[in-house]
Amino acid sequence: MNTIDNVTFIEIPKVHDERGVLAVIEKEVIPFDIKRVYYLYDIPSDAYRGGHAHKKLRQFLVPLSGSFDVILKDGNDTKIVTLNKPNKGLLIVPGIWRELENFSSGAVCLVLASEVYDEADYIRDYKDFILSKSR
Ligand code: T46
């Protein structure tokens, strides 16, 4: 069963020259095949997103612009990480409750996902999440 220790940062290889930085996510950078890409933008600074866990979905979050905090919970422990480097993404595995908040102005969160959208994969009630961990 996954714990928050299984949530890891992954550095995205980059090419930096006088024209700026080019970061590349190739097949071997993330440990799943990408089935979906979505992104969050125009996010009010007081917005709260997430507030759920996934049964099967793996996701890689990249703060393309600005910063935000991700609160991670596994039913026993809680960890808060700040995403603020466009070449450093967060790999979130299944069975982890996540909440996104404290968005900076202009924050953009890119998400690469291992599955297509499926509402049945969500656990949106925290009590159900805790129950799922004890099964
Ligand atoms: C996650 C965080 C980081 C779709 O129709 N297709 C999609 O691919 C997604 C992701 C969402 N939706 C619909 C479902 C809702 O009616 O868009 C609406 C907003 O989704 P949600 O409230 O789940 O958005 P967030 O930002 O709270 O969560 C999303 C992802 O759902 C979630 O997996 O980890 O971004």
Side-chain angles (χ1 to χ4, degrees), residues 36-38 40 48-52 54 57 59 61 92 98 100 109 111 116-119 122 124:
R36 178 168 50 116
V37 176
Y38 63 92
L40 311 172
Y48 165 89
R49 307 206 61 123
H52 56 254
H54 284 281
L57 186 71
Q59 303 205 100
L61 277 58
I92 307 183
R98 87 287 316 268
L100 280 67
C109 174
V111 184
V116 297
Y117 175 69
D118 177 10
E119 187 58 36
Y122 285 73
R124 291 194 184 267

Side-chain angles (χ1 to χ4, degrees), residues 5 8 14 17 25 27 44 59 64 69 79 84 88 100-101 103 109 112 121 130-131 135:
D5 292 335
T8 49
K14 61 180 182 181
D17 64 27
I25 303 176
K27 206 171 166 327
Q59 303 205 100
L64 284 190
D69 294 337
K79 184 151 94 181
N84 57 8
K88 204 172 164 192
L100 280 67
E101 60 180 31
F103 292 91
C109 174
L112 309 181
D121 189 67
I130 295 299
L131 278 176
R135 263 180 224 131

Side-chain angles (χ1 to χ4, degrees), residues 6-30:
N6 300 112
V7 177
T8 49
F9 277 107
I10 296 180
E11 193 135 334
I12 301 164
K14 61 180 182 181
V15 183
H16 189 184
D17 64 27
E18 63 284 355
R19 298 166 300 169
V21 181
L22 184 157
V24 196
I25 303 176
E26 282 187 308
K27 206 171 166 327
E28 55 278 2
V29 173
I30 47 174

